């Protein structure tokens, strides 16, 4: 009787172990940030759905953080840097950001924000997603 219970419990535990092993953290390094500000960070799936959001305080020009583990797949990271603590991205004439912005793969758009397809990277990956802050 005990071996059957142990076998049954092990069959329940195996899928949980496999799921736990298939999630991977997303390490990010932002360069060129302004100390004293906050990064509003989003992790997106290929359909532009927000998978994870996070506020990251900036204490130095280099900011390193890790986003929550996600299943293997393709994702994009984007952020804006709130430099005046109003909790929104300030835009100037023609919708051009007045504050720092960034996207994975250092993607840029032409007369617009970069397209998610240009920001996508594979998870898991080796190393860190390095993103440079851009100011326009």
């Amino acid at each position: 009787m005990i071996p059957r219970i142990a076998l049954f419990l092990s069959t329940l535990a195996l899928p949980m172990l496999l799921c736990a092993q298939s999630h991977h953290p997303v390490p990010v390094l932002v360069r060129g940030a302004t100390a004293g500000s906050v990064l509003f960070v989003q992790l997106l799936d290929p359909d532009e759905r927000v998978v994870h959001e996070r506020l990251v305080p900036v204490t130095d020009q280099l900011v390193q953080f890790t986003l929550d583990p996600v299943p293997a797949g393709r994702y994009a990271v984007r952020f804006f840097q709130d430099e005046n603590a109003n909790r929104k991205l300030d835009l100037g004439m023609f919708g051009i950001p007045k504050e720092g912005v960034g996207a994975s793969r250092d993607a840029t758009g032409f007369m617009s924000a970069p397209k998610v397809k240009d920001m996508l990277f594979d998870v898991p990956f080796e190393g860190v997603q390095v993103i440079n802050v851009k100011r326009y």
Side-chain angles (χ1 to χ4, degrees), residues 16-63:
M16 288 188 287
L17 289 173
L18 292 175
C19 287
Q21 293 172 352
S22 66
H23 283 67
H24 309 278
V26 181
V28 178
L29 174 67
V30 174
R31 295 191 297 203
T34 303
S37 62
V38 175
L39 298 178
F40 282 71
V41 182
Q42 291 183 325
L43 181 68
L44 307 168
D45 69 11
D47 295 322
E48 299 187 39
R49 290 185 297 247
V50 176
V51 175
H52 179 69
E53 290 183 301
R54 181 169 172 191
L55 299 177
V56 180
V58 178
T59 58
D60 195 9
Q61 286 188 341
L62 293 176
V63 182

